[in-house]
Amino acid sequence: MLASQEKNTEYEDNTTIETKKTGNSVYKVDQLNLWYGEDQALKNIELDIPEQEVTAIIGPSGCGKSTFIKTLNRLTEMIPSVKTSGGIYYRNQDIFDKKYKVELLRTKVGMVFQQPNPFPKSIYENIVYGPKIHGIKDKKVLDEIVENSLKGAALWEEVKDDLKRNAFGLSGGQQQRLCIARCLAIEPDVLLMDEPTSALDPISTLKIEELVQELKKNYSIIIVTHNMQQAGRISDNTAFFLNGEVVEYDQTDKIFSSPDDKRTEDYISGRFG
Amino acid sequence: MKEVSQENTSGTPTEYLSAPSNLPKREWKNRLFRTIFATAVIFSLLMLLILIIRIITQGIGSIDWQLFTNFASRHPDEAGLKAPLIGTIWMMALTGPISFVLGVGTAIYLEEYAKPNRFTTLIQTNISNLAGVPSVVFGLLGLTLFVRELSMGRSLIAGALTMSLLILPIIVVSSQEALRAVPAELKQASYAMGATTWQTIFKVVLPASVPGILTGTILALSRAIGETAPLIMIGALTYIAFLPESIMSQFTVMPIQIFNWTNRPQEEFHMVAAAGIIVLLVMLLVMNSIAVWIRNKFQRRF
C-alpha cells in the first residue's frame, strides 16, 4: 500500500495521463488451451492485457471466462484433472515455466471471487493475513497496511471503530470490499475479479463498480462479468468469450457500438446468452 | 401429461387430484413405519437402561475409596483398581498423541498434498477397510511386530502402539471428513494470496477443522479405552501389584481386570467387576462429554 500511495502522489505532482497509459501489457496470452479431463474448456486463447486499464471478460455461462481468469494466477491447478498447453506471460515471464514460483505470481496478482470469502477471523486479521504470510511482523507496519488497504477498498469509514469485529458480521457488499482490501494489502500489480458483484445487491454493486474505477489508477484489473451493462460501464477493453474461444477482443466502446463479429452483436443485443 | 391437462381445461385440476383417494392407505403406511422406527429406538434404549440398572445395583456397594487405592487381591473385599486404572490412564496418554500425530498427519497428506491417482485411491480404500478389521487381528500384529520383532516385550509402549494402529483408521477417516468440510473458497482465498500449502493448512484449514478432528480423535480413544482383545493378545497381565514406572513397564488396563474378575467363581468378585464397569463407563462418559463440548464450543458456520 505504501507503494501505491507513492504512485498517487506522483500523479498529483505531474502528469496524470501519461503515466497511466503506458501502453505496456501485463499479460500476454499465447495459444492457451485448457482441458478438464477430456473436455476442452479453452481453445487457442490469444489476448494482450494492457497495464492500468480495466479489461472485462464477458460471455454466456460455461464459456470458459471463469476458467480463463483462474488460469491467470494458476488457481486452476487446484483441480487435478486440468491440463494446459500454450503460454501465459506475466510481465514477459512464462508463468508455466517450471522454475517460476507460483507463490510469487499470486503475490503480484490478487484475486477477488464470486462469493465474498473472508476468513472466519476479525476484520484486522483478514487484512494482515497476506502480509503476515509474506513475513511482515512489525505491528506498526501491519496497522498501517490495514488502514491503507481498507481506505483503498472504501471500507475504512464503515469499520474503523471496531477492527476486531468478526468479518462474518459484515454485509455481503462490505465482505466483498473486505476481500478487495485483503488483496490490496499484499500490494499486487494486477487484480483479478471473478464476477465480484454477482452475489450482491444493486447498491453494493454500484459501490464496487465505483471502487474499480478508483483502483484502476494504480492497478491493472481484469474482471469477469456476465452483466454486459457492467462491462460497458466500467471497462476499457472487452473480450467476448464463447464456447472457450475469444470471439472478439477490442476497446469496450467499439465492442458495444460496432462489433465486427455477428455473434458478438447478437450477444450484446441480448439475442442469446 | 399434455393430454391430461388439455382434457382438464373444462374442469378444475383439483378435481383430478382429489378423485379416487388412496390417502387412507398412505396414512396407514406412514403410521406403520413410524411405529417400526419408534420401536427400534425404545428397544435399544431399554436394553441400555437394563444394563445400566443391573451394573449399578450390583456394583454401587463396592465403590469406595479402597477400590481406587488397592491393588488386585485374592480377597474380594480388599481388591482394588489401582493398577488397571493407572494403566488405562498411561495407555490413553500414550495412545492419544501417537494416534493423533499419525492419523491427522495421514489425513492432511491425503486431503491437502496427495494428487488423486491410483496409488492414493488404493491407500484410501485400504484405510477404510482397516477400520473393519477385527481388533484381535491388530493384537496379533502387535504381538508379532512390537512385542517380538522390535522386542519391546509386554510393555505399555507395545500396547499403546497396537492400540494406536487399531484406532488409526477411525482417526484418519474422521479427520479427512473434518478437513473436507473446510470450504474450498477459504483455501482458494489463501492460495490466491501466495500462501504455500503448509501456510494454508496451518492458518486456514486446521483452525476451521480442529474441532472435528479433536472430536473424532476423542471418540476413537474412547473406543480404545474399552478394547480388551488386542491387549490380551499382546499379553497384558491380569494380575499386577505395582504401578507402571516407564513406558517399558508391564501393565494391565481396566477392561482386562474387569474380564478377570467376572471369570472368578465368587459372587463378591462379580460385584467388584460391576464397580469397575461403573468407573469405566464414567470415564467414557467424561471423554464423550469433552468431545461434545469441544464440538459445540468451536463450532463455526460458514
Side-chain angles (χ1 to χ4, degrees):
Chain A
M1 271 320 287
L2 287 175
S4 64
Q5 266 194 334
E6 279 161 26
K7 272 192 213 165
N8 264 330
T9 46
E10 234 171 71
Y11 293 149
E12 283 155 24
D13 284 351
N14 40 52
T15 49
T16 315
I17 297 145
E18 274 100 326
T19 43
K20 203 185 143 240
K21 298 261 177 189
T22 52
N24 290 339
S25 55
V26 280
Y27 270 111
K28 275 194 172 70
V29 183
D30 182 29
Q31 299 213 320
L32 176 72
N33 289 286
L34 183 142
W35 294 264
Y36 289 111
E38 299 292 309
D39 301 323
Q40 188 164 8
L42 296 176
K43 295 165 196 162
N44 268 326
I45 308 282
E46 302 251 0
L47 285 178
D48 256 20
I49 292 166
E51 197 175 54
Q52 284 174 0
E53 288 185 19
V54 178
T55 304
I57 295 168
I58 60 169
S61 298
C63 68
K65 54 192 192 303
S66 271
T67 303
F68 174 70
I69 198 170
K70 282 185 176 160
T71 314
L72 292 179
N73 67 351
R74 286 178 52 184
L75 213 56
T76 40
E77 278 173 15
M78 285 180 73
I79 304 158
S81 64
V82 163
K83 285 183 191 67
T84 49
S85 77
I88 296 180
Y89 299 86
Y90 165 70
R91 300 270 180 206
N92 295 323
Q93 282 178 302
D94 182 2
I95 67 166
F96 292 129
D97 193 274
K98 281 218 166 68
K99 285 182 201 143
Y100 196 85
K101 293 262 181 289
V102 70
E103 287 84 4
L104 286 181
L105 173 72
R106 291 172 183 162
T107 311
K108 288 276 140 209
V109 182
M111 184 161 204
V112 178
F113 296 83
Q114 196 167 351
Q115 288 286 338
N117 57 351
F119 298 120
K121 303 171 190 249
S122 69
I123 295 170
Y124 185 91
E125 283 299 322
N126 262 281
I127 306 284
V128 298
Y129 183 86
K132 274 188 174 172
I133 273 178
H134 298 290
I136 298 174
K137 288 188 185 118
D138 189 340
K139 179 91 169 61
K140 266 189 197 158
V141 178
L142 289 174
D143 286 349
E144 206 167 335
I145 289 173
V146 169
E147 183 173 344
N148 288 332
S149 307
L150 285 170
K151 279 180 177 162
L155 190 61
W156 175 251
E157 288 304 320
E158 290 159 63
V159 299
K160 66 178 177 189
D161 297 325
D162 193 3
L163 295 172
K164 299 284 166 216
R165 188 150 55 110
N166 193 302
F168 281 19
L170 300 174
S171 74
Q174 288 174 324
Q175 285 188 13
Q176 195 62 299
R177 276 178 284 146
L178 178 66
C179 292
I180 294 173
R182 190 172 61 181
C183 284
L184 300 185
I186 52 171
E187 301 179 17
D189 173 31
V190 183
L191 277 179
L192 306 176
M193 298 183 150
D194 185 6
E195 300 195 27
T197 61
S198 66
L200 304 181
D201 62 89
I203 293 171
S204 304
T205 301
L206 189 69
K207 279 193 178 153
I208 303 264
E209 287 183 7
E210 285 169 0
L211 183 57
V212 168
Q213 292 304 315
E214 200 54 40
L215 289 171
K216 80 171 190 184
K217 292 174 188 160
N218 298 317
Y219 305 93
S220 314
I221 295 171
I222 302 165
I223 183 167
V224 165
T225 176
H226 59 221
N227 180 336
M228 281 173 293
Q229 287 77 24
Q230 185 171 68
R233 280 195 298 268
I234 63 175
S235 70
D236 302 304
N237 313 290
T238 297
F240 172 53
F241 274 55
L242 188 63
N243 298 328
E245 285 174 280
V246 180
V247 172
E248 197 166 347
Y249 176 48
D250 214 324
Q251 295 193 331
T252 302
D253 297 342
K254 170 84 166 43
I255 292 263
F256 277 84
S257 56
S258 53
D260 289 333
D261 198 288
K262 179 79 171 60
R263 289 169 295 174
T264 316
E265 197 183 335
D266 286 352
Y267 184 73
I268 302 282
S269 56
R271 246 164 274 171
F272 76 98
Chain B
M1 279 311 287
K2 242 182 187 172
E3 280 176 35
V4 173
S5 59
Q6 272 167 358
E7 279 171 25
N8 268 3
T9 43
S10 53
T12 57
T14 46
E15 221 173 281
Y16 171 72
L17 273 173
S18 66
S21 181
N22 60 353
L23 191 58
K25 196 180 163 195
R26 290 192 289 142
E27 278 182 330
W28 180 83
K29 253 191 183 169
N30 192 27
R31 272 198 301 276
L32 174 73
F33 279 100
R34 193 177 63 188
T35 317
I36 291 174
F37 299 143
T39 316
V41 173
I42 291 166
F43 181 78
S44 38
L45 278 183
L46 206 65
M47 289 298 123
L48 197 64
L49 200 68
I50 291 171
L51 177 82
I52 289 174
I53 289 172
R54 207 182 111 82
I55 295 296
I56 287 178
T57 48
Q58 222 182 359
I60 199 85
S62 307
I63 293 188
D64 49 20
W65 194 239
Q66 268 197 353
L67 187 72
F68 300 100
T69 54
N70 281 13
F71 288 108
S73 164
R74 272 181 297 142
H75 309 289
D77 50 331
E78 281 173 19
L81 279 170
K82 192 173 179 182
L85 189 66
I86 302 297
T88 292
I89 291 170
W90 266 91
M91 199 66 194
M92 290 301 108
L94 288 173
T95 310
I98 295 172
S99 56
F100 183 81
V101 169
L102 288 178
V104 178
T106 308
I108 289 178
Y109 181 76
L110 287 176
E111 283 303 308
E112 306 295 330
Y113 283 102
K115 295 206 167 77
N117 52 30
R118 272 200 207 131
F119 182 62
T120 44
T121 317
L122 188 75
I123 294 178
Q124 191 70 63
T125 320
N126 275 309
I127 287 172
S128 311
N129 284 340
L130 272 181
V133 171
S135 54
V136 166
V137 179
F138 280 99
L140 268 175
L141 175 72
L143 180 67
T144 324
L145 186 64
F146 301 127
V147 177
R148 296 206 179 129
E149 287 298 319
L150 300 174
S151 42
M152 290 175 179
R154 302 165 169 189
S155 60
L156 264 171
I157 188 70
L161 285 169
T162 311
M163 275 306 191
S164 301
L165 287 188
L166 175 72
I167 60 172
L168 200 55
I170 312 175
I171 295 183
V172 173
V173 171
S174 64
S175 302
Q176 278 186 296
E177 294 293 335
L179 293 172
R180 244 175 261 159
V182 179
E185 294 80 36
L186 289 186
K187 288 193 222 172
Q188 285 186 352
S190 173
Y191 283 121
M193 271 185 287
T196 59
T197 310
W198 168 242
Q199 285 175 319
T200 305
I201 292 171
F202 189 69
K203 292 192 151 203
V204 175
V205 178
L206 278 182
S209 57
V210 141
I213 291 174
L214 282 183
T215 311
T217 308
I218 293 172
L219 291 182
L221 275 178
S222 64
R223 180 180 164 196
I225 210 174
E227 274 293 344
T228 327
L231 294 182
I232 290 179
M233 286 305 295
I234 68 158
L237 297 175
T238 51
Y239 176 87
I240 52 172
F242 54 85
L243 292 180
E245 277 163 359
S246 75
I247 55 170
M248 297 311 286
S249 301
Q250 294 187 318
F251 70 104
T252 188
V253 290
M254 301 272 295
I256 292 184
Q257 186 65 63
I258 292 166
F259 176 69
N260 174 260
W261 277 333
T262 48
N263 269 352
R264 305 254 180 122
Q266 300 97 317
E267 182 66 27
E268 290 85 350
F269 271 118
H270 296 175
M271 286 157 77
V272 186
I277 292 173
I278 295 175
V279 176
L280 192 59
L281 283 178
V282 169
M283 287 172 91
L284 276 174
L285 203 66
V286 169
M287 287 178 76
N288 288 3
S289 312
I290 293 173
V292 172
W293 177 77
I294 288 176
R295 194 164 47 207
N296 290 343
K297 180 162 165 67
F298 296 100
Q299 200 165 44
R300 286 205 182 105
R301 294 206 179 88
F302 295 103

